[in-house]
Amino acid sequence: MTPLAAAPETLEAGLPDLLADIGALVRTESPSEDPAAVADCARVAARIGTRLGPLRGVAVGGASDGNITAGAGTPTLDGLGAVGGGAHAADEHVLVAELPRRTALVASLVASLLREPLGAPDRVGP
């Protein structure tokens, strides 16, 4: 028998502390990021995307690590990970053929933002 199965009352006793810890990490309020800065970041990604293939922006709900950065006021683009489908399901998959394109997009985006940070008055592009 595992230690967890042996002492369910111990788990229940620690639940309020665990929930408090989780509550400190999970933000339920709307992100406090600057929509103009996010739009600027999305424009940079779109310009880079014209060289690598079309990008499309969509607003979606749900949870991601981006909620933490957005909640801290950092302009956040989510969905820059692997291309695939079936998230968190038995048929979850990655399209291997898309990995080089996605890697190039993220690398170019990071390089562009390091050269010219968002909000730079003379920002001209990627």
Side-chain angles (χ1 to χ4, degrees):
M1 183 172 353
T2 67
L4 293 179
E9 63 282 348
T10 304
L11 291 176
E12 289 177 17
L15 192 56
D17 290 337
L18 175 63
L19 291 177
D21 289 345
I22 291 171
L25 294 174
V26 177
R27 297 186 179 273
T28 56
E29 69 272 7
S30 297
S32 58
E33 65 190 357
D34 176 6
V38 174
D40 189 21
C41 194
R43 278 191 293 277
V44 173
R47 281 194 295 267
I48 293 166
T50 60
R51 297 190 315 259
L52 301 173
L55 295 177
R56 62 184 177 88
V58 295
V60 296
S64 80
D65 293 339
N67 292 349
I68 295 170
T69 58
T74 303
T76 301
L77 295 181
D78 204 352
L80 293 173
V83 177
H88 312 299
D91 65 337
E92 183 172 17
H93 61 278
V94 170
L95 300 177
V96 175
E98 289 292 321
L99 290 173
R101 179 177 169 267
R102 185 52 59 98
T103 302
L105 169 65
V106 173
S108 295
L109 180 59
V110 169
S112 177
L113 294 173
L114 288 172
R115 274 192 316 273
E116 294 182 66
L118 292 176
D122 56 347
R123 182 165 192 64
V124 292

